[in-house]
Amino acid sequence: VQAQVESGGGSVLAGGSLRLSCVASRYTPSTGYMAWFRQAPGKEREGVAAIAAADGSASYADSAKGRFTIARDNAKATVYLQMNRLKPEDTAVYYCASEWTGGHLLSAEAYQSWGQGTQVTVSS
């Protein structure tokens, strides 16, 4: 059973927007974090944004600041990533991560559970 399922990816032109959703099966509102990562071909998986389940406080990678917004809906056990002003370099498979075990919030090693990923393609 998947811990979470991502959706909302697709193909857009540069400058466009997408909203990704992640429905978690192992969601703990009171503690822990959930995060979005992405991986482009030939690159390491990198953290994009993380959010505290309890209060919604967020952390962002420099590449995401000012363009992306992470949010959560505890009642729906869902985490969102609103992506605006998309650039071709945002093209990647985006993954939702959960079961934070400690460590840097935007480090892949800090999470135990991963979704299957959703493709985001941004073209000029």
Side-chain angles (χ1 to χ4, degrees):
V1 180
Q2 294 180 112
Q4 51 270 322
V5 178
E6 305 96 333
S7 63
S11 297
V12 298
L13 295 175
S17 298
L18 286 172
R19 190 193 194 202
L20 307 183
S21 298
C22 171
V23 179
S25 297
R26 304 173 188 173
Y27 191 75
T28 305
S30 59
T31 61
Y33 296 85
M34 295 187 70
W36 286 98
F37 289 77
R38 67 187 183 188
Q39 188 166 21
K43 292 188 175 182
E44 296 291 320
R45 187 169 298 188
E46 64 175 346
V48 177
I51 189 166
D55 64 6
S57 60
S59 299
Y60 296 95
D62 287 342
S63 61
K65 291 178 181 177
R67 299 188 300 125
F68 294 3
T69 302
I70 188 170
R72 91 278 190 257
D73 184 336
N74 287 344
K76 296 181 178 180
T78 301
V79 176
Y80 305 95
L81 185 68
Q82 177 66 46
M83 305 186 294
N84 299 321
R85 297 170 56 201
L86 284 161
K87 305 175 181 179
E89 49 262 47
D90 295 319
T91 296
V93 176
Y94 283 70
Y95 298 90
C96 180
S98 64
E99 296 192 71
W100 181 70
T101 60
H104 187 61
L105 295 177
L106 296 180
S107 172
E109 288 74 21
Y111 299 87
Q112 291 188 321
S113 298
W114 298 86
Q116 83 288 352
T118 185
Q119 177 71 48
V120 171
T121 302
V122 185
S123 59
S124 299

